[in-house]
Amino acid sequence: RRAIRKRTKATLTIATLNMKGKSAITDPIPLNKWREVNNMMKQRRIGVLALQETHLTQLDVEAINRMYGRRLQIHYSSNPTNANQHGVAIVLNRELTNTMGVKETDLIPGRATLLRIPWHATLIITILNVYAPNDPHENAAFWASLHAKWTTLRLPSPDILCGDFNLVENAADRAPPHCDAEAATTALSNLTDALYLRDGWRTVYPDTRNYTFSQPNGRSLSRIDRIYAADHVVENALDWTIETCPVPSDHLLVTVTIKDRKAPYVGRGRWTMPLHLTTDHELMSTAQTRGAKLLRDIKTSLTQRTATRNAQTLFEEFKDDILAKAKKRARTAPSKVELALTKLQADRLATIRDPAFNTDPALREHAGILLKRIAQLTHQKNKFSKAQSAAHYRIEGEHPSKYWSSINIAKTP
């Protein structure tokens, strides 16, 4: 196969989220959630995002393309009888993913879509995005229908099966734990066995409890949003996560980062100082004092210069000293929002893993309260990030610069 022209990285982050409609009830702006989708894919470096319950129409997609088409390419499938029900979509990040030569197959309108993406070098990744019915009988028929399509249409086997399954195969994925309808779980198991797929997160964390959806009262939780993957994907996956996201939804974001197994090892790169340290009084005071000393030493070195003590070596010592102090301060003085998020997430995981979690409604309710607080802080963090982007545009968006070119001049294909 001829190598793909666009140069893409050997790693790719894939995520799935039930976005619960295209707009939040409290926001009168149409398609407001897509602004958060765009920001999230940019900030978290998500290459492929599978969405469910999108409620998209052709007019909606055209409007999204006008606003965010420079970064996002949308492949969607809507309910043919009522676009405000169901709906699935796979969103590609143009900055990270090859969007040329993508092949889409609409398997069940509004419920299942298959996408083949030229990923990296000569590799192609096939992703199946599903939004299964909530009714157990319809759920079982849905998996049986997909199984029949692979039997009769000779479709390519997916590397990734992701989405909102509206059922769990393991009782441990519900709290309180209980098994789902046997007919539905058997139909799903038959499909995943036929396609040689397995639950990636459960494979990596066989004894861990975590959930992606909770009822409004917080007393019933489940891990109905999952990513299944082929063996070669699971073996080369770097990270499986379940986390909150800025997109308003009652579901959590599930992500996995996969890599080309032939790719060489690449280190973490050069360390950079977190932005919040630029307003840290203690570090800035230390830097000013150390900078004043550097200036005095440089003036002295002009008349007493040696091979080991001159302006260049003094400046190098200054940078190394400030770098060491900044690293130390970054560990002890994280931003208040990050510190609060870390503490709340640790508290939530500790609550979920409590032995009495499955039997004590109060613990489940407490986990729900913590999750709401985490979502609020995540939104606050995202709001700050958007303010930074707006400030950047205000400063550089109206005069010729590298930034102006990046947002105004179409990139060469």
Side-chain angles (χ1 to χ4, degrees):
R1 187 181 297 118
R2 183 170 57 86
I4 299 163
R5 289 184 178 181
K6 181 173 179 179
R7 296 185 64 182
T8 55
K9 291 188 176 182
T11 59
L12 178 68
T13 298
I14 300 170
T16 180
L17 173 70
N18 183 322
M19 67 186 302
K20 200 180 179 183
K22 57 193 174 188
S23 300
I25 297 175
T26 56
D27 196 331
I29 303 174
L31 302 173
N32 69 300
K33 287 189 180 183
W34 285 90
R35 177 184 57 201
E36 307 300 342
V37 168
N38 178 65
N39 291 335
M40 179 179 70
M41 294 188 71
K42 174 185 176 182
Q43 294 166 6
R44 304 195 184 188
R45 308 291 292 171
I46 295 173
V48 180
L49 175 62
L51 296 171
Q52 303 84 45
E53 212 170 340
T54 54
H55 301 175
L56 288 177
T57 65
Q58 180 61 32
L59 292 177
D60 293 331
V61 174
E62 290 173 1
I64 295 168
N65 286 335
R66 285 194 296 270
M67 292 184 287
Y68 309 115
R70 292 182 63 85
R71 176 172 292 113
L72 307 182
Q73 183 184 86
I74 303 172
H75 298 267
Y76 76 103
S77 171
S78 59
N79 186 338
T81 58
N82 186 356
N84 289 321
Q85 290 182 342
H86 320 320
V88 293
I90 297 179
V91 187
L92 305 182
N93 188 334
R94 293 179 184 272
E95 296 179 349
L96 304 175
T97 313
N98 195 338
T99 57
M100 301 294 291
V102 175
K103 295 182 180 179
E104 180 181 6
T105 305
D106 193 0
L107 298 176
I108 300 177
R111 289 290 188 184
T113 186
L114 184 73
L115 210 65
R116 285 173 58 81
I117 306 167
W119 165 34
H120 174 70
T122 59
L123 297 177
I124 291 179
I125 186 166
T126 305
I127 299 175
L128 174 60
N129 180 23
V130 299
Y131 177 40
N134 195 39
D135 180 79
H137 299 290
E138 294 180 7
N139 193 292
F142 173 76
W143 302 119
S145 176
L146 282 179
H147 195 179
K149 288 182 182 295
W150 255 270
T151 304
T152 58
L153 299 180
R154 296 186 178 182
L155 297 169
S157 295
D159 303 296
I160 296 285
L161 163 62
C162 60
D164 183 350
F165 291 74
N166 270 316
L167 88 163
V168 299
E169 293 188 278
N170 191 329
D173 287 327
R174 286 195 184 276
H178 65 84
C179 296
D180 282 2
E182 184 177 354
T185 55
T186 301
L188 173 59
S189 180
N190 290 339
L191 175 65
T192 54
D193 288 346
L195 299 179
Y196 301 99
L197 301 171
R198 50 178 166 152
D199 185 349
W201 190 89
R202 181 54 71 194
T203 300
V204 177
Y205 304 105
D207 302 317
T208 304
R209 285 199 299 263
N210 208 340
Y211 308 98
T212 64
F213 174 74
S214 62
Q215 295 294 339
N217 59 13
R219 297 193 174 190
S220 177
L221 302 93
S222 56
R223 192 173 67 89
I224 56 177
D225 305 272
R226 301 190 293 278
I227 297 178
Y228 288 73
D231 287 344
H232 67 274
V233 175
V234 176
E235 292 166 1
N236 294 285
L238 299 177
D239 198 14
W240 297 85
T241 63
I242 296 174
E243 56 189 351
T244 55
C245 69
V247 181
S249 175
D250 52 1
H251 292 249
L252 298 188
L253 182 75
V254 183
T255 68
V256 60
T257 300
I258 62 174
K259 67 181 180 71
D260 178 4
R261 59 183 176 182
K262 296 180 181 178
Y265 173 76
V266 178
R268 299 180 64 183
R270 185 166 52 185
W271 185 85
T272 58
M273 187 175 74
L275 286 177
H276 67 85
L277 288 184
T278 59
T279 58
D280 183 75
H281 177 74
E282 181 177 332
L283 179 62
M284 292 299 103
S285 178
T286 301
Q288 288 175 356
T289 303
R290 184 66 179 81
K293 181 178 182 301
L294 170 67
L295 291 176
R296 292 194 299 269
D297 291 344
I298 288 178
K299 289 180 180 179
T300 303
S301 71
L302 295 177
T303 57
Q304 303 175 14
R305 189 181 193 281
T306 66
T308 57
R309 190 163 184 80
N310 51 63
Q312 286 76 22
T313 58
L314 289 170
F315 187 49
E316 182 183 15
E317 290 175 5
F318 167 77
K319 290 190 293 182
D320 292 343
D321 190 20
I322 294 300
L323 181 64
K325 285 181 170 58
K327 286 184 176 180
K328 183 178 180 180
R329 188 62 181 160
R331 290 192 294 268
T332 58
S335 68
K336 291 181 180 179
V337 173
E338 288 287 356
L339 194 63
L341 275 173
T342 302
K343 185 176 179 181
L344 287 169
Q345 288 165 349
D347 191 4
R348 178 178 175 269
L349 287 177
T351 303
I352 287 175
R353 293 167 186 174
D354 190 300
F357 183 78
N358 286 329
T359 56
D360 190 348
L363 283 177
R364 296 196 293 275
E365 190 171 352
H366 178 62
I369 294 171
L370 291 173
L371 185 59
K372 289 180 181 178
R373 180 58 182 153
I374 290 170
Q376 290 172 354
L377 287 179
T378 302
H379 177 71
Q380 180 180 335
K381 180 181 174 183
N382 186 59
K383 188 176 179 181
F384 176 72
S385 177
K386 287 190 291 186
Q388 283 184 312
S389 298
H392 194 184
Y393 179 82
R394 184 73 176 259
I395 295 169
E396 298 189 49
E398 295 298 333
H399 63 83
S401 63
K402 184 177 180 180
Y403 174 77
W404 182 91
S405 300
S406 69
I407 63 174
N408 288 284
I409 300 177
K411 296 181 178 179
T412 304

